[in-house]
Amino acid sequence: DETYTNGETGIVITGTDFGASQGSGTVKISPTDNVNDSNAVTQTVTSWGNTSITFTAVRGSLAASTNLY
């Protein structure tokens, strides 16, 4: 329910059981509800903890007026 601009920093996802370190985990923004969509864009993670992940928005080729997941 947020609007993010390309390059916006400090975006936080909160939750539980993400793991204490990033490992092989990623954050993706997709034009569909499928993270495996070929147009999904992997985000730049700046901090990873068990209850929160912070990232910088990378829109890539995703249009500014597109609903994203």
Side-chain angles (χ1 to χ4, degrees), residues 12-29:
V12 179
I13 301 169
T14 57
T16 59
D17 300 322
F18 294 135
S21 62
Q22 184 173 357
S24 62
T26 60
V27 174
K28 292 184 179 183
I29 292 179

Side-chain angles (χ1 to χ4, degrees), residues 28-69:
K28 292 184 179 183
I29 292 179
S30 175
T32 67
D33 62 356
N34 179 357
V35 297
N36 294 317
D37 186 296
S38 62
N39 294 309
V41 178
T42 300
Q43 302 302 290
T44 302
V45 173
T46 56
S47 174
W48 189 290
N50 194 47
T51 59
S52 69
I53 300 169
T54 305
F55 68 97
T56 297
V58 179
R59 293 192 68 93
S61 63
L62 299 171
S65 60
T66 304
N67 288 332
L68 302 173
Y69 299 83

